[in-house]
Amino acid sequence: MNLIRTIRNWRSYRQTVDELGRLSNRQLADVGVRRDEIPSLARRGL
């Protein structure tokens, strides 16, 4: 079960990073996020 949870967490992390990464710098600024913050924000979402 731990392996399954780890895989699900990784997939969720990657999806969040990918989706935020597709936003323009302007769109990120509108929601108060800098591009270099994306990985840490995605980790916090898990």
Side-chain angles (χ1 to χ4, degrees):
M1 285 303 190
N2 194 25
L3 176 62
I4 293 170
R5 186 173 339 125
T6 299
I7 291 170
R8 284 183 182 154
N9 286 345
W10 179 82
R11 290 172 108 183
S12 176
Y13 168 82
R14 286 303 321 155
Q15 182 179 4
T16 301
V17 169
D18 290 345
E19 288 179 9
L20 289 174
R22 283 192 286 270
L23 297 177
S24 70
N25 288 339
R26 172 64 189 220
Q27 290 170 315
L28 289 172
D30 286 346
V31 294
V33 174
R34 292 187 328 259
R35 193 159 297 281
D36 65 334
E37 295 176 314
I38 291 173
S40 66
L41 289 172
R43 276 192 295 276
R44 277 192 251 153
L46 298 178

